[in-house]
Amino acid sequence: MKEYQLGEFEEIVLLTVAILHDDAYGVSIKEEIENRLDRKVSVSALQSALRRMEKKKYLKSEFGEATAIRGGKRKRYFKVTKTGKAALDYTKETRMKLWSAIPDVSYEYSKAWISSGILPHPGLPNS
């Protein structure tokens, strides 16, 4: 179902909004992704993804109350919609189908590396 296709970063953002539930706003989403995945996130990439997914109706947003700490500026909080949940479910199901379709023989090469204690490194010969 093409309407539910998510890019990797969109999937990460959508999952993070779901994890944060009532505390999902720009800074908290960015920090959660960076902390959980040890991955730097630019504010502009995050904002683009949030706007894109709101346009697709995967997310909805609303402003919170103004606070003195933020100089009266209100936070925009995000929530996963039913459509967003369906997109996550579809993505998970699709990935699980692919993972379960990998034959055991595809992993045979790793048995020798594991038993020898030498694991391959991406970009090196024989990896």
Short mmCIF file of all heavy atoms in Angstrom, two decimals, residues 58-103:
data_model
loop_
_atom_site.label_atom_id
_atom_site.label_comp_id
_atom_site.label_asym_id
_atom_site.label_seq_id
_atom_site.Cartn_x
_atom_site.Cartn_y
_atom_site.Cartn_z
N TYR A 58 -0.34 11.58 9.19
CA TYR A 58 0.21 10.59 10.11
C TYR A 58 0.34 11.18 11.50
O TYR A 58 0.36 10.45 12.49
CB TYR A 58 1.59 10.13 9.66
CG TYR A 58 1.63 9.36 8.36
CD1 TYR A 58 2.83 9.12 7.72
CD2 TYR A 58 0.48 8.85 7.78
CE1 TYR A 58 2.90 8.40 6.54
CE2 TYR A 58 0.53 8.13 6.60
CZ TYR A 58 1.74 7.92 5.98
OH TYR A 58 1.79 7.20 4.83
N LEU A 59 0.45 12.50 11.56
CA LEU A 59 0.58 13.22 12.82
C LEU A 59 -0.42 14.37 12.84
O LEU A 59 -0.82 14.87 11.79
CB LEU A 59 1.98 13.84 12.96
CG LEU A 59 3.16 12.92 13.12
CD1 LEU A 59 4.47 13.72 13.06
CD2 LEU A 59 3.08 12.16 14.42
N LYS A 60 -0.79 14.76 14.04
CA LYS A 60 -1.54 16.00 14.23
C LYS A 60 -0.80 16.78 15.31
O LYS A 60 -0.06 16.21 16.12
CB LYS A 60 -2.99 15.76 14.59
CG LYS A 60 -3.20 15.09 15.93
CD LYS A 60 -4.67 14.90 16.22
CE LYS A 60 -4.84 14.21 17.58
NZ LYS A 60 -6.23 14.01 17.92
N SER A 61 -0.98 18.10 15.30
CA SER A 61 -0.29 18.89 16.31
C SER A 61 -1.22 19.94 16.89
O SER A 61 -2.22 20.30 16.27
CB SER A 61 0.95 19.57 15.71
OG SER A 61 0.57 20.56 14.78
N GLU A 62 -0.85 20.37 18.07
CA GLU A 62 -1.57 21.47 18.70
C GLU A 62 -0.60 22.19 19.63
O GLU A 62 0.39 21.62 20.09
CB GLU A 62 -2.80 20.99 19.47
CG GLU A 62 -2.52 19.97 20.54
CD GLU A 62 -3.80 19.43 21.17
OE1 GLU A 62 -4.77 19.17 20.44
OE2 GLU A 62 -3.79 19.26 22.40
N PHE A 63 -0.88 23.44 19.86
CA PHE A 63 -0.02 24.24 20.73
C PHE A 63 -0.37 24.03 22.18
O PHE A 63 -1.54 23.94 22.54
CB PHE A 63 -0.13 25.73 20.39
CG PHE A 63 0.60 26.09 19.13
CD1 PHE A 63 -0.08 26.32 17.95
CD2 PHE A 63 1.99 26.20 19.13
CE1 PHE A 63 0.59 26.66 16.79
CE2 PHE A 63 2.67 26.54 17.96
CZ PHE A 63 1.97 26.76 16.80
N GLY A 64 0.66 23.98 23.02
CA GLY A 64 0.48 23.92 24.46
C GLY A 64 0.34 25.33 25.00
O GLY A 64 0.28 26.31 24.24
N GLU A 65 0.29 25.43 26.29
CA GLU A 65 0.16 26.73 26.96
C GLU A 65 1.47 27.50 26.88
O GLU A 65 2.55 26.91 26.88
CB GLU A 65 -0.24 26.53 28.42
CG GLU A 65 -1.60 25.88 28.61
CD GLU A 65 -2.74 26.73 28.05
OE1 GLU A 65 -2.71 27.97 28.23
OE2 GLU A 65 -3.64 26.15 27.43
N ALA A 66 1.36 28.81 26.85
CA ALA A 66 2.54 29.67 26.90
C ALA A 66 3.16 29.59 28.29
O ALA A 66 2.44 29.49 29.28
CB ALA A 66 2.15 31.10 26.56
N THR A 67 4.49 29.62 28.35
CA THR A 67 5.17 29.58 29.64
C THR A 67 6.18 30.73 29.72
O THR A 67 6.73 31.15 28.71
CB THR A 67 5.93 28.25 29.84
OG1 THR A 67 6.93 28.13 28.84
CG2 THR A 67 4.99 27.06 29.78
N ALA A 68 6.41 31.19 30.93
CA ALA A 68 7.38 32.26 31.14
C ALA A 68 8.79 31.79 30.81
O ALA A 68 9.61 32.57 30.32
CB ALA A 68 7.32 32.74 32.59
N ILE A 69 9.07 30.52 31.03
CA ILE A 69 10.41 29.96 30.75
C ILE A 69 10.76 30.14 29.28
O ILE A 69 11.89 30.41 28.94
CB ILE A 69 10.47 28.47 31.15
CG1 ILE A 69 10.30 28.33 32.65
CG2 ILE A 69 11.76 27.83 30.69
CD1 ILE A 69 10.13 26.90 33.12
N ARG A 70 9.78 30.00 28.42
CA ARG A 70 10.01 30.14 26.98
C ARG A 70 9.67 31.54 26.48
O ARG A 70 9.46 31.75 25.31
CB ARG A 70 9.18 29.09 26.23
CG ARG A 70 9.61 27.66 26.53
CD ARG A 70 8.72 26.62 25.86
NE ARG A 70 8.36 26.89 24.51
CZ ARG A 70 9.05 26.53 23.43
NH1 ARG A 70 10.18 25.87 23.57
NH2 ARG A 70 8.62 26.80 22.21
N GLY A 71 9.59 32.49 27.37
CA GLY A 71 9.30 33.86 26.97
C GLY A 71 7.91 34.01 26.36
O GLY A 71 7.70 34.85 25.48
N GLY A 72 6.99 33.21 26.82
CA GLY A 72 5.62 33.28 26.31
C GLY A 72 5.39 32.47 25.04
O GLY A 72 4.27 32.39 24.54
N LYS A 73 6.44 31.87 24.51
CA LYS A 73 6.30 31.06 23.29
C LYS A 73 5.72 29.69 23.63
O LYS A 73 6.14 29.06 24.60
CB LYS A 73 7.67 30.91 22.62
CG LYS A 73 7.60 30.32 21.25
CD LYS A 73 8.97 30.31 20.60
CE LYS A 73 8.86 29.68 19.22
NZ LYS A 73 10.17 29.50 18.62
N ARG A 74 4.77 29.26 22.83
CA ARG A 74 4.12 27.97 23.09
C ARG A 74 4.79 26.83 22.33
O ARG A 74 5.29 27.03 21.23
CB ARG A 74 2.65 28.04 22.68
CG ARG A 74 1.92 29.14 23.41
CD ARG A 74 0.46 29.26 23.11
NE ARG A 74 0.10 29.05 21.73
CZ ARG A 74 -1.15 28.88 21.31
NH1 ARG A 74 -2.14 28.90 22.18
NH2 ARG A 74 -1.42 28.70 20.05
N LYS A 75 4.81 25.65 22.92
CA LYS A 75 5.35 24.45 22.27
C LYS A 75 4.27 23.86 21.37
O LYS A 75 3.10 23.86 21.71
CB LYS A 75 5.75 23.40 23.30
CG LYS A 75 6.90 23.78 24.18
CD LYS A 75 7.17 22.67 25.19
CE LYS A 75 8.24 23.08 26.16
NZ LYS A 75 8.42 22.06 27.22
N ARG A 76 4.72 23.29 20.25
CA ARG A 76 3.81 22.55 19.37
C ARG A 76 3.98 21.06 19.69
O ARG A 76 5.06 20.50 19.51
CB ARG A 76 4.11 22.81 17.91
CG ARG A 76 3.18 22.05 16.97
CD ARG A 76 3.54 22.24 15.51
NE ARG A 76 3.28 23.57 15.05
CZ ARG A 76 2.14 23.97 14.47
NH1 ARG A 76 1.16 23.10 14.33
NH2 ARG A 76 2.00 25.21 14.06
N TYR A 77 2.92 20.45 20.21
CA TYR A 77 2.94 19.03 20.58
C TYR A 77 2.37 18.19 19.44
O TYR A 77 1.39 18.57 18.80
CB TYR A 77 2.12 18.80 21.84
CG TYR A 77 2.78 19.37 23.07
CD1 TYR A 77 2.50 20.65 23.52
CD2 TYR A 77 3.69 18.60 23.79
CE1 TYR A 77 3.11 21.17 24.66
CE2 TYR A 77 4.30 19.11 24.93
CZ TYR A 77 4.01 20.38 25.36
OH TYR A 77 4.62 20.90 26.47
N PHE A 78 2.96 17.03 19.23
CA PHE A 78 2.55 16.12 18.16
C PHE A 78 1.97 14.84 18.73
O PHE A 78 2.39 14.36 19.78
CB PHE A 78 3.75 15.79 17.26
CG PHE A 78 4.23 16.97 16.48
CD1 PHE A 78 5.18 17.82 17.02
CD2 PHE A 78 3.73 17.26 15.23
CE1 PHE A 78 5.63 18.93 16.32
CE2 PHE A 78 4.15 18.36 14.53
CZ PHE A 78 5.11 19.20 15.07
N LYS A 79 1.02 14.29 18.01
CA LYS A 79 0.39 13.01 18.35
C LYS A 79 0.29 12.16 17.08
O LYS A 79 0.06 12.69 15.99
CB LYS A 79 -1.05 13.22 18.87
CG LYS A 79 -1.11 13.92 20.20
CD LYS A 79 -1.59 12.94 21.22
CE LYS A 79 -1.83 13.67 22.53
NZ LYS A 79 -1.24 12.97 23.62
N VAL A 80 0.43 10.86 17.24
CA VAL A 80 0.24 9.93 16.12
C VAL A 80 -1.25 9.76 15.89
O VAL A 80 -2.01 9.52 16.83
CB VAL A 80 0.91 8.57 16.42
CG1 VAL A 80 0.67 7.58 15.29
CG2 VAL A 80 2.40 8.74 16.68
N THR A 81 -1.68 9.87 14.65
CA THR A 81 -3.09 9.68 14.29
C THR A 81 -3.36 8.20 13.99
O THR A 81 -2.43 7.38 13.95
CB THR A 81 -3.44 10.50 13.03
OG1 THR A 81 -2.66 9.99 11.93
CG2 THR A 81 -3.17 11.98 13.23
N LYS A 82 -4.62 7.87 13.74
CA LYS A 82 -4.96 6.50 13.34
C LYS A 82 -4.25 6.14 12.04
O LYS A 82 -3.79 5.01 11.87
CB LYS A 82 -6.48 6.36 13.17
CG LYS A 82 -7.23 6.35 14.47
CD LYS A 82 -8.72 6.18 14.24
CE LYS A 82 -9.47 6.23 15.57
NZ LYS A 82 -10.92 6.09 15.39
N THR A 83 -4.16 7.09 11.12
CA THR A 83 -3.46 6.85 9.86
C THR A 83 -1.98 6.61 10.11
O THR A 83 -1.37 5.75 9.49
CB THR A 83 -3.67 8.04 8.90
OG1 THR A 83 -5.06 8.27 8.73
CG2 THR A 83 -3.04 7.79 7.54
N GLY A 84 -1.40 7.38 11.03
CA GLY A 84 0.00 7.18 11.40
C GLY A 84 0.24 5.82 12.01
O GLY A 84 1.24 5.14 11.72
N LYS A 85 -0.67 5.39 12.87
CA LYS A 85 -0.57 4.05 13.49
C LYS A 85 -0.67 2.98 12.41
O LYS A 85 0.07 1.99 12.44
CB LYS A 85 -1.69 3.88 14.52
CG LYS A 85 -1.80 2.48 15.12
CD LYS A 85 -0.67 2.14 16.07
CE LYS A 85 -0.96 0.92 16.91
NZ LYS A 85 -0.65 -0.34 16.29
N ALA A 86 -1.56 3.18 11.44
CA ALA A 86 -1.69 2.22 10.34
C ALA A 86 -0.40 2.16 9.52
O ALA A 86 0.02 1.09 9.10
CB ALA A 86 -2.88 2.58 9.45
N ALA A 87 0.23 3.31 9.31
CA ALA A 87 1.49 3.35 8.57
C ALA A 87 2.58 2.60 9.33
O ALA A 87 3.36 1.86 8.74
CB ALA A 87 1.91 4.80 8.32
N LEU A 88 2.64 2.79 10.65
CA LEU A 88 3.62 2.07 11.46
C LEU A 88 3.36 0.57 11.44
O LEU A 88 4.29 -0.23 11.31
CB LEU A 88 3.61 2.58 12.90
CG LEU A 88 4.28 3.92 13.14
CD1 LEU A 88 4.05 4.38 14.58
CD2 LEU A 88 5.77 3.85 12.84
N ASP A 89 2.10 0.18 11.57
CA ASP A 89 1.74 -1.24 11.54
C ASP A 89 2.13 -1.87 10.20
O ASP A 89 2.68 -2.97 10.15
CB ASP A 89 0.24 -1.43 11.78
CG ASP A 89 -0.18 -1.15 13.21
OD1 ASP A 89 0.70 -1.10 14.11
OD2 ASP A 89 -1.40 -0.96 13.44
N TYR A 90 1.83 -1.15 9.11
CA TYR A 90 2.16 -1.64 7.77
C TYR A 90 3.67 -1.80 7.62
O TYR A 90 4.15 -2.82 7.13
CB TYR A 90 1.61 -0.69 6.71
CG TYR A 90 2.02 -1.07 5.31
CD1 TYR A 90 1.40 -2.11 4.63
CD2 TYR A 90 3.06 -0.40 4.67
CE1 TYR A 90 1.79 -2.48 3.36
CE2 TYR A 90 3.46 -0.76 3.40
CZ TYR A 90 2.82 -1.80 2.74
OH TYR A 90 3.22 -2.16 1.49
N THR A 91 4.42 -0.81 8.08
CA THR A 91 5.88 -0.85 7.97
C THR A 91 6.44 -2.02 8.78
O THR A 91 7.30 -2.77 8.29
CB THR A 91 6.49 0.48 8.45
OG1 THR A 91 5.97 1.53 7.63
CG2 THR A 91 8.00 0.47 8.36
N LYS A 92 5.96 -2.19 9.98
CA LYS A 92 6.43 -3.30 10.82
C LYS A 92 6.11 -4.64 10.18
O LYS A 92 6.96 -5.54 10.11
CB LYS A 92 5.78 -3.21 12.21
CG LYS A 92 6.22 -4.29 13.16
CD LYS A 92 5.55 -4.14 14.51
CE LYS A 92 5.95 -5.26 15.45
NZ LYS A 92 5.26 -5.16 16.74
N GLU A 93 4.89 -4.79 9.71
CA GLU A 93 4.46 -6.04 9.08
C GLU A 93 5.30 -6.35 7.84
O GLU A 93 5.75 -7.48 7.64
CB GLU A 93 2.98 -5.94 8.70
CG GLU A 93 2.40 -7.17 8.07
CD GLU A 93 0.93 -6.98 7.71
OE1 GLU A 93 0.18 -6.47 8.55
OE2 GLU A 93 0.56 -7.35 6.58
N THR A 94 5.55 -5.34 7.03
CA THR A 94 6.34 -5.51 5.81
C THR A 94 7.76 -5.94 6.15
O THR A 94 8.31 -6.88 5.56
CB THR A 94 6.37 -4.20 5.00
OG1 THR A 94 5.04 -3.84 4.66
CG2 THR A 94 7.18 -4.35 3.73
N ARG A 95 8.36 -5.28 7.13
CA ARG A 95 9.72 -5.63 7.52
C ARG A 95 9.78 -7.04 8.10
O ARG A 95 10.72 -7.79 7.83
CB ARG A 95 10.27 -4.63 8.53
CG ARG A 95 10.59 -3.30 7.88
CD ARG A 95 11.16 -2.33 8.88
NE ARG A 95 11.28 -1.04 8.27
CZ ARG A 95 12.42 -0.38 8.18
NH1 ARG A 95 13.51 -0.91 8.66
NH2 ARG A 95 12.46 0.80 7.61
N MET A 96 8.81 -7.41 8.91
CA MET A 96 8.80 -8.75 9.50
C MET A 96 8.65 -9.82 8.42
O MET A 96 9.27 -10.89 8.51
CB MET A 96 7.69 -8.88 10.55
CG MET A 96 7.91 -8.02 11.79
SD MET A 96 9.54 -8.18 12.55
CE MET A 96 9.51 -9.87 13.08
N LYS A 97 7.85 -9.56 7.38
CA LYS A 97 7.73 -10.51 6.27
C LYS A 97 9.07 -10.70 5.59
O LYS A 97 9.43 -11.82 5.22
CB LYS A 97 6.69 -10.02 5.26
CG LYS A 97 5.27 -10.22 5.67
CD LYS A 97 4.32 -9.72 4.59
CE LYS A 97 2.88 -9.78 5.03
NZ LYS A 97 1.97 -9.23 4.01
N LEU A 98 9.79 -9.60 5.39
CA LEU A 98 11.10 -9.71 4.76
C LEU A 98 12.09 -10.44 5.65
O LEU A 98 12.82 -11.32 5.19
CB LEU A 98 11.63 -8.31 4.40
CG LEU A 98 10.88 -7.60 3.27
CD1 LEU A 98 11.32 -6.15 3.17
CD2 LEU A 98 11.11 -8.33 1.95
N TRP A 99 12.14 -10.08 6.94
CA TRP A 99 13.05 -10.75 7.87
C TRP A 99 12.76 -12.25 7.92
O TRP A 99 13.68 -13.07 7.94
CB TRP A 99 12.94 -10.15 9.27
CG TRP A 99 13.76 -8.92 9.43
CD1 TRP A 99 13.33 -7.63 9.44
CD2 TRP A 99 15.18 -8.84 9.62
NE1 TRP A 99 14.36 -6.77 9.61
CE2 TRP A 99 15.52 -7.48 9.73
CE3 TRP A 99 16.18 -9.80 9.71
CZ2 TRP A 99 16.83 -7.05 9.92
CZ3 TRP A 99 17.49 -9.36 9.91
CH2 TRP A 99 17.79 -8.01 10.00
N SER A 100 11.49 -12.61 7.98
CA SER A 100 11.15 -14.04 8.10
C SER A 100 11.38 -14.80 6.80
O SER A 100 11.43 -16.03 6.81
CB SER A 100 9.70 -14.20 8.56
OG SER A 100 8.81 -13.72 7.58
N ALA A 101 11.55 -14.10 5.69
CA ALA A 101 11.78 -14.76 4.40
C ALA A 101 13.25 -15.08 4.15
O ALA A 101 13.58 -15.78 3.20
CB ALA A 101 11.25 -13.88 3.26
N ILE A 102 14.14 -14.60 5.00
CA ILE A 102 15.57 -14.86 4.81
C ILE A 102 15.85 -16.31 5.18
O ILE A 102 15.61 -16.73 6.31
CB ILE A 102 16.42 -13.92 5.69
CG1 ILE A 102 16.19 -12.47 5.32
CG2 ILE A 102 17.91 -14.29 5.57
CD1 ILE A 102 16.84 -11.47 6.25
N PRO A 103 16.38 -17.08 4.24
CA PRO A 103 16.68 -18.48 4.55
C PRO A 103 17.89 -18.58 5.48
O PRO A 103 18.79 -17.74 5.45
CB PRO A 103 16.99 -19.10 3.18
CG PRO A 103 17.36 -17.95 2.31
CD PRO A 103 16.67 -16.73 2.86
#
